[in-house]
Amino acid sequence: MAYFLWSGSPPYFKEEDEETLPSLTPYLVKESVNRGAIIICPGGGYQRRANHEGEPVAKWLNTLGISAFVVNYRVSPNKHPAPLADAQRAIRVVRFYSEEWSLDKEKIGILGFSAGGHLAASVSTLSTFCSYEPSDQIDLESSQPDIAILCYPVISLLENYHEGSLHNLLGDHSTKKLRTLLSAELNVSSKTPPTFLWHTSDDASVSVENSLLYAKALSKSNIPYEMHIFPNGRHGLGLAEDDQIVGQWKKLCEKWLKKQGY
């Protein structure tokens, strides 16, 4: 059962979007020992949300004893800051209802693929950015994730950027100021959470340089991170069940999550 992120109309609401109101679908683990939770942002170039990067990932996290939530954030024709508002609100909703869902509100992570990785990196680095006006008690909660998992993410909108994501998020007339604001490698700070990254070196859609830029920024700010670059693999592999090499990212991530207390 999906929960709408806002009880009324969300910020930047358009009447034609009535059937695609931003929502959150929970996949809760009963009697979870660690009580951690991870919010999942599927990829899709800010044009759609890829199903194989949503529910299957949530169910994989469930096998690790981790509750998960898939966020149905807004995509094109919606533009920035609607997707960021949805992701920040999703984190706040999970924290607000953490007791009801038997979660530790200080163990709320974010996981994103491709453009969803850009969204996850954005909430990781723009915690003080006001993407919408607070409207209720939920908005008193922090929108800063405690950990981040970025899978072949779009990171920069200035260097080696993904044209489709840039266009769908900002439109045809984006400014350098806005592209700079949404280039996550430029916004890493001491508040950025520990991060797990993976990419394939020959990704033909989103250049591996995106992950390398972010890792460099994390290193400069002394933020703990783990990164894995696999030699081959197409973009959008998700759980990579059919690729024995790239599919190892799940075991590597599981070990990393245990180190983080999840």
Side-chain angles (χ1 to χ4, degrees), residues 152-190:
Y152 41 88
V154 173
I155 292 294
S156 183
L157 297 186
L158 292 171
E159 295 183 58
N160 300 288
Y161 57 87
H162 180 244
E163 190 74 45
S165 295
L166 172 65
H167 171 77
N168 290 323
L169 183 62
L170 299 181
D172 293 324
H173 307 292
S174 60
T175 64
K176 185 173 182 181
K177 181 179 179 180
L178 197 50
R179 290 170 70 171
T180 299
L181 172 71
L182 295 172
S183 291
E185 79 277 13
L186 302 178
N187 300 310
V188 172
S189 70
S190 60

PDB file of all heavy atoms in Angstrom, residues 152-190:
ATOM      1  N   TYR A 152      25.626   3.442 -10.203  1.00  0.00           N
ATOM      2  CA  TYR A 152      25.876   4.124 -11.486  1.00  0.00           C
ATOM      3  C   TYR A 152      25.167   5.484 -11.536  1.00  0.00           C
ATOM      4  O   TYR A 152      24.367   5.762 -12.430  1.00  0.00           O
ATOM      5  CB  TYR A 152      25.507   3.256 -12.699  1.00  0.00           C
ATOM      6  CG  TYR A 152      24.228   2.433 -12.612  1.00  0.00           C
ATOM      7  CD1 TYR A 152      22.989   2.957 -12.984  1.00  0.00           C
ATOM      8  CD2 TYR A 152      24.261   1.108 -12.171  1.00  0.00           C
ATOM      9  CE1 TYR A 152      21.831   2.208 -12.930  1.00  0.00           C
ATOM     10  CE2 TYR A 152      23.111   0.345 -12.100  1.00  0.00           C
ATOM     11  CZ  TYR A 152      21.893   0.904 -12.481  1.00  0.00           C
ATOM     12  OH  TYR A 152      20.744   0.163 -12.425  1.00  0.00           O
ATOM     13  N   PRO A 153      25.482   6.365 -10.563  1.00  0.00           N
ATOM     14  CA  PRO A 153      24.711   7.604 -10.428  1.00  0.00           C
ATOM     15  C   PRO A 153      25.088   8.707 -11.415  1.00  0.00           C
ATOM     16  O   PRO A 153      26.237   8.813 -11.846  1.00  0.00           O
ATOM     17  CB  PRO A 153      25.075   8.048  -9.009  1.00  0.00           C
ATOM     18  CG  PRO A 153      26.492   7.579  -8.846  1.00  0.00           C
ATOM     19  CD  PRO A 153      26.531   6.236  -9.543  1.00  0.00           C
ATOM     20  N   VAL A 154      24.091   9.503 -11.768  1.00  0.00           N
ATOM     21  CA  VAL A 154      24.345  10.806 -12.360  1.00  0.00           C
ATOM     22  C   VAL A 154      24.762  11.694 -11.191  1.00  0.00           C
ATOM     23  O   VAL A 154      24.063  11.744 -10.173  1.00  0.00           O
ATOM     24  CB  VAL A 154      23.076  11.377 -13.029  1.00  0.00           C
ATOM     25  CG1 VAL A 154      23.312  12.806 -13.503  1.00  0.00           C
ATOM     26  CG2 VAL A 154      22.619  10.480 -14.174  1.00  0.00           C
ATOM     27  N   ILE A 155      25.893  12.353 -11.282  1.00  0.00           N
ATOM     28  CA  ILE A 155      26.378  13.205 -10.191  1.00  0.00           C
ATOM     29  C   ILE A 155      26.482  14.661 -10.631  1.00  0.00           C
ATOM     30  O   ILE A 155      25.923  15.560 -10.010  1.00  0.00           O
ATOM     31  CB  ILE A 155      27.761  12.723  -9.682  1.00  0.00           C
ATOM     32  CG1 ILE A 155      27.632  11.373  -8.981  1.00  0.00           C
ATOM     33  CG2 ILE A 155      28.386  13.765  -8.748  1.00  0.00           C
ATOM     34  CD1 ILE A 155      26.834  11.397  -7.680  1.00  0.00           C
ATOM     35  N   SER A 156      27.186  14.890 -11.710  1.00  0.00           N
ATOM     36  CA  SER A 156      27.439  16.256 -12.166  1.00  0.00           C
ATOM     37  C   SER A 156      26.502  16.664 -13.295  1.00  0.00           C
ATOM     38  O   SER A 156      26.160  15.851 -14.165  1.00  0.00           O
ATOM     39  CB  SER A 156      28.890  16.387 -12.639  1.00  0.00           C
ATOM     40  OG  SER A 156      29.167  17.718 -13.024  1.00  0.00           O
ATOM     41  N   LEU A 157      26.092  17.928 -13.282  1.00  0.00           N
ATOM     42  CA  LEU A 157      25.339  18.492 -14.399  1.00  0.00           C
ATOM     43  C   LEU A 157      26.214  19.496 -15.153  1.00  0.00           C
ATOM     44  O   LEU A 157      25.730  20.256 -15.979  1.00  0.00           O
ATOM     45  CB  LEU A 157      24.053  19.167 -13.898  1.00  0.00           C
ATOM     46  CG  LEU A 157      23.036  18.248 -13.213  1.00  0.00           C
ATOM     47  CD1 LEU A 157      21.755  18.998 -12.899  1.00  0.00           C
ATOM     48  CD2 LEU A 157      22.736  17.005 -14.045  1.00  0.00           C
ATOM     49  N   LEU A 158      27.526  19.465 -14.845  1.00  0.00           N
ATOM     50  CA  LEU A 158      28.483  20.348 -15.497  1.00  0.00           C
ATOM     51  C   LEU A 158      29.530  19.579 -16.291  1.00  0.00           C
ATOM     52  O   LEU A 158      29.940  20.008 -17.364  1.00  0.00           O
ATOM     53  CB  LEU A 158      29.188  21.229 -14.450  1.00  0.00           C
ATOM     54  CG  LEU A 158      28.323  22.277 -13.738  1.00  0.00           C
ATOM     55  CD1 LEU A 158      29.103  22.895 -12.588  1.00  0.00           C
ATOM     56  CD2 LEU A 158      27.867  23.359 -14.707  1.00  0.00           C
ATOM     57  N   GLU A 159      29.974  18.434 -15.734  1.00  0.00           N
ATOM     58  CA  GLU A 159      31.011  17.627 -16.374  1.00  0.00           C
ATOM     59  C   GLU A 159      30.494  16.217 -16.658  1.00  0.00           C
ATOM     60  O   GLU A 159      29.872  15.606 -15.804  1.00  0.00           O
ATOM     61  CB  GLU A 159      32.244  17.500 -15.464  1.00  0.00           C
ATOM     62  CG  GLU A 159      32.989  18.774 -15.177  1.00  0.00           C
ATOM     63  CD  GLU A 159      34.231  18.487 -14.337  1.00  0.00           C
ATOM     64  OE1 GLU A 159      35.079  17.696 -14.773  1.00  0.00           O
ATOM     65  OE2 GLU A 159      34.322  19.043 -13.227  1.00  0.00           O
ATOM     66  N   ASN A 160      30.768  15.715 -17.837  1.00  0.00           N
ATOM     67  CA  ASN A 160      30.398  14.335 -18.183  1.00  0.00           C
ATOM     68  C   ASN A 160      28.946  14.034 -17.817  1.00  0.00           C
ATOM     69  O   ASN A 160      28.621  12.949 -17.344  1.00  0.00           O
ATOM     70  CB  ASN A 160      31.331  13.345 -17.474  1.00  0.00           C
ATOM     71  CG  ASN A 160      32.777  13.526 -17.859  1.00  0.00           C
ATOM     72  OD1 ASN A 160      33.185  13.194 -18.961  1.00  0.00           O
ATOM     73  ND2 ASN A 160      33.563  14.074 -16.940  1.00  0.00           N
ATOM     74  N   TYR A 161      28.098  15.014 -18.010  1.00  0.00           N
ATOM     75  CA  TYR A 161      26.716  14.867 -17.555  1.00  0.00           C
ATOM     76  C   TYR A 161      25.873  14.047 -18.533  1.00  0.00           C
ATOM     77  O   TYR A 161      26.203  13.907 -19.712  1.00  0.00           O
ATOM     78  CB  TYR A 161      26.071  16.229 -17.326  1.00  0.00           C
ATOM     79  CG  TYR A 161      26.071  17.149 -18.526  1.00  0.00           C
ATOM     80  CD1 TYR A 161      25.044  17.092 -19.465  1.00  0.00           C
ATOM     81  CD2 TYR A 161      27.090  18.082 -18.715  1.00  0.00           C
ATOM     82  CE1 TYR A 161      25.034  17.932 -20.564  1.00  0.00           C
ATOM     83  CE2 TYR A 161      27.089  18.933 -19.817  1.00  0.00           C
ATOM     84  CZ  TYR A 161      26.059  18.857 -20.738  1.00  0.00           C
ATOM     85  OH  TYR A 161      26.056  19.686 -21.822  1.00  0.00           O
ATOM     86  N   HIS A 162      24.760  13.534 -17.999  1.00  0.00           N
ATOM     87  CA  HIS A 162      23.820  12.764 -18.804  1.00  0.00           C
ATOM     88  C   HIS A 162      22.802  13.738 -19.384  1.00  0.00           C
ATOM     89  O   HIS A 162      22.026  14.354 -18.652  1.00  0.00           O
ATOM     90  CB  HIS A 162      23.134  11.699 -17.943  1.00  0.00           C
ATOM     91  CG  HIS A 162      22.153  10.861 -18.691  1.00  0.00           C
ATOM     92  ND1 HIS A 162      20.808  10.861 -18.401  1.00  0.00           N
ATOM     93  CD2 HIS A 162      22.316  10.005 -19.736  1.00  0.00           C
ATOM     94  CE1 HIS A 162      20.179  10.034 -19.229  1.00  0.00           C
ATOM     95  NE2 HIS A 162      21.077   9.508 -20.043  1.00  0.00           N
ATOM     96  N   GLU A 163      22.825  13.883 -20.699  1.00  0.00           N
ATOM     97  CA  GLU A 163      22.012  14.891 -21.386  1.00  0.00           C
ATOM     98  C   GLU A 163      20.525  14.746 -21.071  1.00  0.00           C
ATOM     99  O   GLU A 163      19.828  15.734 -20.815  1.00  0.00           O
ATOM    100  CB  GLU A 163      22.238  14.787 -22.896  1.00  0.00           C
ATOM    101  CG  GLU A 163      21.630  15.923 -23.695  1.00  0.00           C
ATOM    102  CD  GLU A 163      22.397  17.229 -23.577  1.00  0.00           C
ATOM    103  OE1 GLU A 163      23.629  17.220 -23.668  1.00  0.00           O
ATOM    104  OE2 GLU A 163      21.737  18.260 -23.380  1.00  0.00           O
ATOM    105  N   GLY A 164      20.036  13.511 -21.101  1.00  0.00           N
ATOM    106  CA  GLY A 164      18.614  13.281 -20.853  1.00  0.00           C
ATOM    107  C   GLY A 164      18.180  13.714 -19.467  1.00  0.00           C
ATOM    108  O   GLY A 164      17.143  14.370 -19.290  1.00  0.00           O
ATOM    109  N   SER A 165      18.972  13.351 -18.463  1.00  0.00           N
ATOM    110  CA  SER A 165      18.635  13.731 -17.088  1.00  0.00           C
ATOM    111  C   SER A 165      18.633  15.244 -16.924  1.00  0.00           C
ATOM    112  O   SER A 165      17.749  15.818 -16.282  1.00  0.00           O
ATOM    113  CB  SER A 165      19.637  13.101 -16.109  1.00  0.00           C
ATOM    114  OG  SER A 165      19.527  11.688 -16.125  1.00  0.00           O
ATOM    115  N   LEU A 166      19.639  15.888 -17.507  1.00  0.00           N
ATOM    116  CA  LEU A 166      19.728  17.345 -17.431  1.00  0.00           C
ATOM    117  C   LEU A 166      18.498  17.995 -18.054  1.00  0.00           C
ATOM    118  O   LEU A 166      17.870  18.881 -17.453  1.00  0.00           O
ATOM    119  CB  LEU A 166      20.997  17.830 -18.128  1.00  0.00           C
ATOM    120  CG  LEU A 166      21.145  19.348 -18.306  1.00  0.00           C
ATOM    121  CD1 LEU A 166      21.272  20.035 -16.961  1.00  0.00           C
ATOM    122  CD2 LEU A 166      22.357  19.663 -19.182  1.00  0.00           C
ATOM    123  N   HIS A 167      18.138  17.553 -19.246  1.00  0.00           N
ATOM    124  CA  HIS A 167      16.989  18.135 -19.952  1.00  0.00           C
ATOM    125  C   HIS A 167      15.689  17.891 -19.199  1.00  0.00           C
ATOM    126  O   HIS A 167      14.865  18.803 -19.027  1.00  0.00           O
ATOM    127  CB  HIS A 167      16.893  17.553 -21.359  1.00  0.00           C
ATOM    128  CG  HIS A 167      15.628  17.943 -22.073  1.00  0.00           C
ATOM    129  ND1 HIS A 167      15.432  19.183 -22.629  1.00  0.00           N
ATOM    130  CD2 HIS A 167      14.479  17.245 -22.302  1.00  0.00           C
ATOM    131  CE1 HIS A 167      14.225  19.243 -23.165  1.00  0.00           C
ATOM    132  NE2 HIS A 167      13.635  18.083 -22.986  1.00  0.00           N
ATOM    133  N   ASN A 168      15.475  16.655 -18.732  1.00  0.00           N
ATOM    134  CA  ASN A 168      14.219  16.327 -18.060  1.00  0.00           C
ATOM    135  C   ASN A 168      14.073  17.019 -16.713  1.00  0.00           C
ATOM    136  O   ASN A 168      12.961  17.340 -16.297  1.00  0.00           O
ATOM    137  CB  ASN A 168      14.100  14.805 -17.887  1.00  0.00           C
ATOM    138  CG  ASN A 168      13.883  14.094 -19.208  1.00  0.00           C
ATOM    139  OD1 ASN A 168      13.192  14.584 -20.090  1.00  0.00           O
ATOM    140  ND2 ASN A 168      14.496  12.921 -19.353  1.00  0.00           N
ATOM    141  N   LEU A 169      15.208  17.273 -16.049  1.00  0.00           N
ATOM    142  CA  LEU A 169      15.154  17.898 -14.734  1.00  0.00           C
ATOM    143  C   LEU A 169      15.067  19.418 -14.810  1.00  0.00           C
ATOM    144  O   LEU A 169      14.348  20.044 -14.032  1.00  0.00           O
ATOM    145  CB  LEU A 169      16.390  17.496 -13.914  1.00  0.00           C
ATOM    146  CG  LEU A 169      16.458  18.013 -12.473  1.00  0.00           C
ATOM    147  CD1 LEU A 169      15.290  17.462 -11.642  1.00  0.00           C
ATOM    148  CD2 LEU A 169      17.786  17.627 -11.829  1.00  0.00           C
ATOM    149  N   LEU A 170      15.797  20.003 -15.758  1.00  0.00           N
ATOM    150  CA  LEU A 170      15.894  21.463 -15.797  1.00  0.00           C
ATOM    151  C   LEU A 170      15.307  22.109 -17.051  1.00  0.00           C
ATOM    152  O   LEU A 170      15.193  23.338 -17.111  1.00  0.00           O
ATOM    153  CB  LEU A 170      17.366  21.885 -15.654  1.00  0.00           C
ATOM    154  CG  LEU A 170      18.058  21.470 -14.354  1.00  0.00           C
ATOM    155  CD1 LEU A 170      19.485  21.979 -14.328  1.00  0.00           C
ATOM    156  CD2 LEU A 170      17.290  21.968 -13.136  1.00  0.00           C
ATOM    157  N   GLY A 171      14.960  21.330 -18.047  1.00  0.00           N
ATOM    158  CA  GLY A 171      14.393  21.905 -19.261  1.00  0.00           C
ATOM    159  C   GLY A 171      15.456  22.400 -20.226  1.00  0.00           C
ATOM    160  O   GLY A 171      16.647  22.138 -20.052  1.00  0.00           O
ATOM    161  N   ASP A 172      15.016  23.127 -21.233  1.00  0.00           N
ATOM    162  CA  ASP A 172      15.915  23.569 -22.310  1.00  0.00           C
ATOM    163  C   ASP A 172      16.756  24.784 -21.961  1.00  0.00           C
ATOM    164  O   ASP A 172      17.734  25.080 -22.638  1.00  0.00           O
ATOM    165  CB  ASP A 172      15.095  23.895 -23.571  1.00  0.00           C
ATOM    166  CG  ASP A 172      14.447  22.658 -24.174  1.00  0.00           C
ATOM    167  OD1 ASP A 172      15.086  21.585 -24.125  1.00  0.00           O
ATOM    168  OD2 ASP A 172      13.316  22.767 -24.675  1.00  0.00           O
ATOM    169  N   HIS A 173      16.355  25.510 -20.927  1.00  0.00           N
ATOM    170  CA  HIS A 173      17.018  26.790 -20.660  1.00  0.00           C
ATOM    171  C   HIS A 173      17.611  26.834 -19.245  1.00  0.00           C
ATOM    172  O   HIS A 173      17.420  27.785 -18.506  1.00  0.00           O
ATOM    173  CB  HIS A 173      16.029  27.939 -20.864  1.00  0.00           C
ATOM    174  CG  HIS A 173      15.361  27.910 -22.206  1.00  0.00           C
ATOM    175  ND1 HIS A 173      16.038  28.154 -23.379  1.00  0.00           N
ATOM    176  CD2 HIS A 173      14.080  27.623 -22.560  1.00  0.00           C
ATOM    177  CE1 HIS A 173      15.195  28.048 -24.400  1.00  0.00           C
ATOM    178  NE2 HIS A 173      14.007  27.714 -23.936  1.00  0.00           N
ATOM    179  N   SER A 174      18.329  25.787 -18.884  1.00  0.00           N
ATOM    180  CA  SER A 174      18.931  25.739 -17.547  1.00  0.00           C
ATOM    181  C   SER A 174      20.068  26.747 -17.443  1.00  0.00           C
ATOM    182  O   SER A 174      20.761  27.020 -18.417  1.00  0.00           O
ATOM    183  CB  SER A 174      19.456  24.337 -17.249  1.00  0.00           C
ATOM    184  OG  SER A 174      20.438  23.960 -18.203  1.00  0.00           O
ATOM    185  N   THR A 175      20.250  27.292 -16.241  1.00  0.00           N
ATOM    186  CA  THR A 175      21.332  28.251 -15.997  1.00  0.00           C
ATOM    187  C   THR A 175      22.520  27.543 -15.377  1.00  0.00           C
ATOM    188  O   THR A 175      22.385  26.482 -14.761  1.00  0.00           O
ATOM    189  CB  THR A 175      20.868  29.359 -15.049  1.00  0.00           C
ATOM    190  OG1 THR A 175      20.560  28.761 -13.759  1.00  0.00           O
ATOM    191  CG2 THR A 175      19.627  30.053 -15.588  1.00  0.00           C
ATOM    192  N   LYS A 176      23.686  28.143 -15.537  1.00  0.00           N
ATOM    193  CA  LYS A 176      24.888  27.565 -14.936  1.00  0.00           C
ATOM    194  C   LYS A 176      24.761  27.557 -13.416  1.00  0.00           C
ATOM    195  O   LYS A 176      25.224  26.632 -12.741  1.00  0.00           O
ATOM    196  CB  LYS A 176      26.133  28.343 -15.353  1.00  0.00           C
ATOM    197  CG  LYS A 176      27.414  27.685 -14.839  1.00  0.00           C
ATOM    198  CD  LYS A 176      28.660  28.349 -15.383  1.00  0.00           C
ATOM    199  CE  LYS A 176      29.911  27.617 -14.873  1.00  0.00           C
ATOM    200  NZ  LYS A 176      31.158  28.232 -15.362  1.00  0.00           N
ATOM    201  N   LYS A 177      24.099  28.570 -12.858  1.00  0.00           N
ATOM    202  CA  LYS A 177      23.910  28.642 -11.410  1.00  0.00           C
ATOM    203  C   LYS A 177      23.121  27.434 -10.918  1.00  0.00           C
ATOM    204  O   LYS A 177      23.471  26.807  -9.899  1.00  0.00           O
ATOM    205  CB  LYS A 177      23.186  29.931 -11.035  1.00  0.00           C
ATOM    206  CG  LYS A 177      22.971  30.111  -9.540  1.00  0.00           C
ATOM    207  CD  LYS A 177      22.274  31.437  -9.243  1.00  0.00           C
ATOM    208  CE  LYS A 177      22.042  31.591  -7.741  1.00  0.00           C
ATOM    209  NZ  LYS A 177      21.357  32.870  -7.429  1.00  0.00           N
ATOM    210  N   LEU A 178      22.058  27.076 -11.623  1.00  0.00           N
ATOM    211  CA  LEU A 178      21.224  25.941 -11.220  1.00  0.00           C
ATOM    212  C   LEU A 178      21.955  24.625 -11.448  1.00  0.00           C
ATOM    213  O   LEU A 178      21.886  23.709 -10.617  1.00  0.00           O
ATOM    214  CB  LEU A 178      19.913  25.965 -12.010  1.00  0.00           C
ATOM    215  CG  LEU A 178      18.750  25.119 -11.476  1.00  0.00           C
ATOM    216  CD1 LEU A 178      18.507  25.387  -9.998  1.00  0.00           C
ATOM    217  CD2 LEU A 178      17.492  25.402 -12.284  1.00  0.00           C
ATOM    218  N   ARG A 179      22.682  24.522 -12.557  1.00  0.00           N
ATOM    219  CA  ARG A 179      23.444  23.306 -12.828  1.00  0.00           C
ATOM    220  C   ARG A 179      24.549  23.114 -11.786  1.00  0.00           C
ATOM    221  O   ARG A 179      24.861  21.981 -11.409  1.00  0.00           O
ATOM    222  CB  ARG A 179      24.030  23.363 -14.237  1.00  0.00           C
ATOM    223  CG  ARG A 179      22.961  23.238 -15.316  1.00  0.00           C
ATOM    224  CD  ARG A 179      23.498  23.522 -16.709  1.00  0.00           C
ATOM    225  NE  ARG A 179      24.386  22.470 -17.171  1.00  0.00           N
ATOM    226  CZ  ARG A 179      24.839  22.399 -18.410  1.00  0.00           C
ATOM    227  NH1 ARG A 179      24.465  23.293 -19.314  1.00  0.00           N
ATOM    228  NH2 ARG A 179      25.658  21.419 -18.767  1.00  0.00           N
ATOM    229  N   THR A 180      25.109  24.198 -11.320  1.00  0.00           N
ATOM    230  CA  THR A 180      26.132  24.121 -10.269  1.00  0.00           C
ATOM    231  C   THR A 180      25.515  23.666  -8.957  1.00  0.00           C
ATOM    232  O   THR A 180      26.063  22.814  -8.259  1.00  0.00           O
ATOM    233  CB  THR A 180      26.813  25.497 -10.090  1.00  0.00           C
ATOM    234  OG1 THR A 180      27.443  25.870 -11.313  1.00  0.00           O
ATOM    235  CG2 THR A 180      27.845  25.455  -8.982  1.00  0.00           C
ATOM    236  N   LEU A 181      24.355  24.228  -8.627  1.00  0.00           N
ATOM    237  CA  LEU A 181      23.657  23.839  -7.395  1.00  0.00           C
ATOM    238  C   LEU A 181      23.368  22.347  -7.373  1.00  0.00           C
ATOM    239  O   LEU A 181      23.468  21.696  -6.324  1.00  0.00           O
ATOM    240  CB  LEU A 181      22.339  24.616  -7.273  1.00  0.00           C
ATOM    241  CG  LEU A 181      21.406  24.185  -6.131  1.00  0.00           C
ATOM    242  CD1 LEU A 181      21.990  24.587  -4.771  1.00  0.00           C
ATOM    243  CD2 LEU A 181      20.015  24.785  -6.311  1.00  0.00           C
ATOM    244  N   LEU A 182      23.038  21.783  -8.534  1.00  0.00           N
ATOM    245  CA  LEU A 182      22.629  20.382  -8.608  1.00  0.00           C
ATOM    246  C   LEU A 182      23.744  19.459  -9.085  1.00  0.00           C
ATOM    247  O   LEU A 182      23.484  18.331  -9.504  1.00  0.00           O
ATOM    248  CB  LEU A 182      21.401  20.262  -9.509  1.00  0.00           C
ATOM    249  CG  LEU A 182      20.150  20.962  -8.954  1.00  0.00           C
ATOM    250  CD1 LEU A 182      19.037  20.973  -9.977  1.00  0.00           C
ATOM    251  CD2 LEU A 182      19.682  20.305  -7.662  1.00  0.00           C
ATOM    252  N   SER A 183      24.979  19.926  -9.018  1.00  0.00           N
ATOM    253  CA  SER A 183      26.145  19.065  -9.261  1.00  0.00           C
ATOM    254  C   SER A 183      26.663  18.633  -7.897  1.00  0.00           C
ATOM    255  O   SER A 183      27.329  19.396  -7.188  1.00  0.00           O
ATOM    256  CB  SER A 183      27.215  19.830 -10.048  1.00  0.00           C
ATOM    257  OG  SER A 183      26.782  20.067 -11.368  1.00  0.00           O
ATOM    258  N   ALA A 184      26.320  17.421  -7.500  1.00  0.00           N
ATOM    259  CA  ALA A 184      26.535  16.969  -6.123  1.00  0.00           C
ATOM    260  C   ALA A 184      27.994  16.990  -5.693  1.00  0.00           C
ATOM    261  O   ALA A 184      28.300  17.185  -4.514  1.00  0.00           O
ATOM    262  CB  ALA A 184      25.950  15.576  -5.929  1.00  0.00           C
ATOM    263  N   GLU A 185      28.913  16.799  -6.656  1.00  0.00           N
ATOM    264  CA  GLU A 185      30.332  16.775  -6.281  1.00  0.00           C
ATOM    265  C   GLU A 185      30.805  18.123  -5.735  1.00  0.00           C
ATOM    266  O   GLU A 185      31.818  18.191  -5.029  1.00  0.00           O
ATOM    267  CB  GLU A 185      31.185  16.350  -7.484  1.00  0.00           C
ATOM    268  CG  GLU A 185      31.466  17.433  -8.514  1.00  0.00           C
ATOM    269  CD  GLU A 185      30.361  17.647  -9.525  1.00  0.00           C
ATOM    270  OE1 GLU A 185      29.247  17.123  -9.309  1.00  0.00           O
ATOM    271  OE2 GLU A 185      30.605  18.341 -10.537  1.00  0.00           O
ATOM    272  N   LEU A 186      30.056  19.181  -6.019  1.00  0.00           N
ATOM    273  CA  LEU A 186      30.443  20.522  -5.567  1.00  0.00           C
ATOM    274  C   LEU A 186      29.849  20.869  -4.203  1.00  0.00           C
ATOM    275  O   LEU A 186      30.171  21.904  -3.629  1.00  0.00           O
ATOM    276  CB  LEU A 186      30.014  21.579  -6.591  1.00  0.00           C
ATOM    277  CG  LEU A 186      30.575  21.415  -8.008  1.00  0.00           C
ATOM    278  CD1 LEU A 186      30.028  22.505  -8.914  1.00  0.00           C
ATOM    279  CD2 LEU A 186      32.101  21.441  -7.980  1.00  0.00           C
ATOM    280  N   ASN A 187      28.970  20.009  -3.707  1.00  0.00           N
ATOM    281  CA  ASN A 187      28.250  20.311  -2.473  1.00  0.00           C
ATOM    282  C   ASN A 187      28.545  19.371  -1.316  1.00  0.00           C
ATOM    283  O   ASN A 187      27.898  19.438  -0.274  1.00  0.00           O
ATOM    284  CB  ASN A 187      26.739  20.300  -2.754  1.00  0.00           C
ATOM    285  CG  ASN A 187      26.357  21.334  -3.794  1.00  0.00           C
ATOM    286  OD1 ASN A 187      26.734  22.494  -3.691  1.00  0.00           O
ATOM    287  ND2 ASN A 187      25.614  20.904  -4.811  1.00  0.00           N
ATOM    288  N   VAL A 188      29.523  18.482  -1.498  1.00  0.00           N
ATOM    289  CA  VAL A 188      29.910  17.573  -0.411  1.00  0.00           C
ATOM    290  C   VAL A 188      30.471  18.395   0.749  1.00  0.00           C
ATOM    291  O   VAL A 188      31.250  19.329   0.553  1.00  0.00           O
ATOM    292  CB  VAL A 188      30.953  16.551  -0.895  1.00  0.00           C
ATOM    293  CG1 VAL A 188      31.507  15.742   0.270  1.00  0.00           C
ATOM    294  CG2 VAL A 188      30.332  15.617  -1.935  1.00  0.00           C
ATOM    295  N   SER A 189      30.044  18.057   1.959  1.00  0.00           N
ATOM    296  CA  SER A 189      30.507  18.766   3.152  1.00  0.00           C
ATOM    297  C   SER A 189      30.684  17.769   4.295  1.00  0.00           C
ATOM    298  O   SER A 189      30.487  16.563   4.111  1.00  0.00           O
ATOM    299  CB  SER A 189      29.491  19.837   3.565  1.00  0.00           C
ATOM    300  OG  SER A 189      28.311  19.224   4.076  1.00  0.00           O
ATOM    301  N   SER A 190      31.005  18.269   5.442  1.00  0.00           N
ATOM    302  CA  SER A 190      31.184  17.404   6.615  1.00  0.00           C
ATOM    303  C   SER A 190      29.870  16.729   7.019  1.00  0.00           C
ATOM    304  O   SER A 190      29.864  15.758   7.774  1.00  0.00           O
ATOM    305  CB  SER A 190      31.731  18.216   7.789  1.00  0.00           C
ATOM    306  OG  SER A 190      30.835  19.270   8.123  1.00  0.00           O
TER     307      SER A 190
END
